[in-house]
């Protein structure tokens, strides 16, 4: 019997050493120390012993049980420590690693152009104002000296919502709203979307962007208009930029001009961007028509003013060498990611 006890001790302790998983350890405990375990089995075998030997053997078995229980507890502790060590090692943080940057979107090329323009005009003392995209016929046409049957209405194909409501075809509506709500001296720019029923192609879109400018004060002349626009063109396209004024017609300005800048891509020699002419048309402008001033309650005998409307899409496409205006409206991230701050995602 003593041999049996010794043998069991040896195999039990030996097998305990080999264990590395908590589940195996538990199985070991059940197999040896459990209710139907090998120790219990051993005790049962005592029934066959002579009565005088039983207490001694009982003591041996109890000692073995105590020993195995201790070994089990120790092993359990060691295993727990080992597992914790492995877990901690796996969770080690290298606080010196650089952080993972969250992807940030870039600003749209039109936004970049618009912000630059606002900066330039604000530095010249202009306020930035906003106007509604749904306009009345009055603000978009009538008050700008374009009565209902005037042929100038054909210059712009209009989306009408009702007989009197429309999607603004020009930011010029902001001129009227401003002159109605402010007294001279007035210096404002108004950027925004405008709408015309144009066929879509590489240079036309039914939605595009303008920035209106308006200055009204005593003694404002065409020279002021030229000075402001030349300054703006040089800031946008560089100090070498030349500016050309061509006579034109708008119902709400008199005289009216269209303004070209020398092509920044070829320096005026002629290239694909400027279609060989060396010039790029970027805006319409003129001296505010006396009738428009008077209609807003501003005395044209006392005050004069100039206005301009810059096409922002053309500015963006020439500045960033974008060959097709439709790219500005398609929201393709591969396109948008190429601009400042943009990151391909
Ligand atoms: N509103 C005109 C257009 O859309 C541009 C313009 C604005 C012309 C202001 C003169 C003065 O074509």
């Amino acid at each position: 019997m003593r041999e049996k006890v010794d043998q069991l001790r040896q195999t039990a302790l030996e097998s305990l050493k080999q264990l590395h998983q908590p589940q195996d350890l538990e199985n070991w405990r059940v197999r040896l120390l459990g209710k139907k375990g090998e120790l219990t089995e051993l005790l049962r075998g005592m029934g066959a012993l002579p009565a005088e030997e039983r207490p001694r053997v009982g003591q041996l078995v109890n000692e073995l049980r105590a020993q195995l229980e201790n070994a089990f507890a120790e092993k359990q502790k060691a295993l727990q420590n080992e597992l914790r060590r492995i877990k901690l090692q796996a969770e080690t943080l290298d606080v010196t690693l650089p952080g993972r940057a969250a992807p940030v979107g870039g600003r749209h090329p039109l936004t970049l152009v618009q912000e630059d323009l606002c900066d330039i005009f604000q530095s010249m003392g202009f306020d930035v104002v906003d106007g509604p995209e749904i306009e009345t016929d009055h603000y978009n046409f009538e008050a700008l000296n374009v009565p209902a049957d005037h042929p100038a209405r054909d210059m712009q194909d209009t989306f009408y919502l009702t007989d009197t409501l429309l999607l603004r075809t020009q930011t010029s509506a902001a001129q009227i709203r401003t002159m109605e709500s402010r007294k001279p001296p007035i210096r404002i720019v108004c950027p925004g979307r405008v709408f015309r029923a144009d066929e879509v192609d590489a240079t036309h879109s039914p939605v595009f962007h303008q920035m209106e400018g308006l200055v009204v004060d005593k003694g404002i002349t065409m020279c002021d208009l030229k000075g402001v626009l030349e300054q703006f063109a040089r800031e946008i396209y560089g100090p070498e930029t030349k500016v050309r004024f061509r006579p034109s017609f708008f119902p709400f300005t008199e005289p009216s001009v269209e303004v070209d800048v020398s092509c920044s891509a070829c320096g005026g020699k002629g290239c694909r961007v400027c279609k060989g002419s060396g010039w790029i048309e970027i805006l319409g402008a003129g001296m505010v028509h006396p009738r428009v001033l008077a209609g807003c309650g501003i005395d044209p005998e006392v005050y004069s003013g100039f206005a301009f409307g810059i096409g922002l899409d053309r500015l963006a496409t020439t500045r960033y060498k974008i060959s097709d205006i439709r790219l500005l409206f398609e929201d393709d991230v591969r396109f948008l990611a190429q601009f400042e701050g943009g990151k391909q995602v």
Side-chain angles (χ1 to χ4, degrees):
M1 194 70 190
R2 174 188 283 273
E3 262 165 40
K4 268 194 186 168
V5 172
D6 283 344
Q7 206 182 343
L8 185 58
R9 171 184 297 120
Q10 209 181 347
T11 55
L13 292 178
E14 194 56 42
S15 65
L16 187 63
K17 270 195 213 146
Q18 315 295 325
L19 303 181
H20 298 290
Q21 297 298 326
Q23 187 53 50
D24 294 341
L25 187 64
E26 176 60 12
N27 291 343
W28 182 93
R29 189 189 65 75
V30 172
R31 183 161 58 81
L32 284 145
L33 303 167
K35 255 192 221 146
K36 291 179 184 156
E38 292 184 33
L39 264 184
T40 316
E41 204 56 35
L42 208 61
L43 279 175
R44 246 192 230 137
M46 264 171 43
L49 292 176
E52 65 274 18
E53 283 189 27
R54 282 183 205 162
R56 217 167 43 82
V57 174
Q59 199 190 346
L60 278 179
V61 173
N62 280 339
E63 275 169 18
L64 177 58
R65 174 179 295 275
Q67 196 180 3
L68 292 186
E69 275 171 356
N70 273 341
F72 171 82
E74 245 166 58
K75 179 76 182 180
Q76 192 176 40
K77 211 162 168 202
L79 200 59
Q80 270 167 3
N81 284 342
E82 176 66 5
L83 289 175
R84 183 170 318 126
R85 197 184 58 76
I86 291 171
K87 188 160 175 252
L88 284 178
Q89 205 169 33
E91 288 174 358
T92 311
L93 286 180
D94 182 352
V95 289
T96 65
L97 278 178
R100 225 173 279 150
V104 273
R107 276 178 301 172
H108 193 282
L110 276 170
T111 309
L112 293 170
V113 165
Q114 188 174 310
E115 285 177 359
D116 282 357
L117 255 56
C118 285
D119 280 353
I120 292 171
F121 284 109
Q122 276 173 318
S123 77
M124 291 195 257
F126 286 70
D127 282 347
V128 178
V129 303
D130 199 13
E133 292 180 344
I134 295 177
E135 262 300 0
T136 62
D137 188 275
H138 173 79
Y139 284 111
N140 196 82
F141 288 127
E142 288 276 340
L144 285 162
N145 200 26
V146 189
D149 52 358
H150 197 285
R153 289 221 177 189
D154 293 342
M155 287 166 76
Q156 303 171 358
D157 253 330
T158 309
F159 288 115
Y160 279 93
L161 303 174
T162 67
D163 280 351
T164 53
L165 285 180
L166 47 83
L167 295 179
R168 67 176 173 196
T169 60
Q170 49 189 354
T171 45
S172 300
Q175 290 185 32
I176 308 302
R177 288 186 176 273
T178 305
M179 285 190 278
E180 280 181 359
S181 61
R182 296 186 182 204
K183 290 202 161 22
I186 292 170
R187 261 182 255 129
I188 58 102
V189 286
C190 173
R193 288 199 292 184
V194 296
F195 308 84
R196 289 182 202 176
D198 281 334
E199 289 288 339
V200 180
D201 63 26
T203 54
H204 292 86
S205 160
V207 186
F208 55 104
H209 300 76
Q210 289 186 333
M211 181 180 278
E212 195 76 9
L214 174 70
V215 171
V216 181
D217 202 352
K218 286 178 184 157
I220 297 289
T221 70
M222 197 87 180
C223 284
D224 299 303
L225 171 64
K226 276 193 86 172
V228 165
L229 293 181
E230 274 172 8
Q231 176 68 18
F232 140 77
R234 291 198 186 114
E235 294 219 30
I236 281 284
Y237 288 107
E240 306 303 320
T241 310
K242 291 194 217 43
V243 181
R244 178 171 84 170
F245 288 69
R246 284 181 289 111
S248 184
F249 170 80
F250 299 103
F252 36 90
T253 47
E254 182 60 35
S256 301
V257 290
E258 269 170 328
V259 178
D260 305 334
V261 291
S262 52
C263 177
S264 56
C266 62
K269 287 200 244 3
C271 68
R272 244 186 34 195
V273 177
C274 56
K275 300 203 179 82
S277 73
W279 296 96
I280 294 171
E281 182 193 327
I282 54 163
L283 62 91
M287 301 306 293
V288 182
H289 198 293
R291 226 190 281 169
V292 174
L293 289 175
C296 297
I298 294 174
D299 186 351
E301 297 295 327
V302 181
Y303 293 101
S304 55
F306 64 78
F308 54 85
I310 306 170
L312 299 184
D313 311 81
R314 178 77 59 85
L315 231 63
T317 52
T318 52
R319 179 192 224 183
Y320 296 113
K321 306 199 170 29
I322 298 166
S323 57
D324 192 321
I325 193 179
R326 285 169 286 200
L327 287 165
L328 294 175
F329 303 101
E330 283 169 356
D331 285 346
D332 185 332
V333 284
R334 291 167 304 178
F335 168 74
L336 295 175
Q338 299 172 54
F339 302 94
E340 183 238 62
K343 221 182 242 160
Q344 195 94 43
V345 277

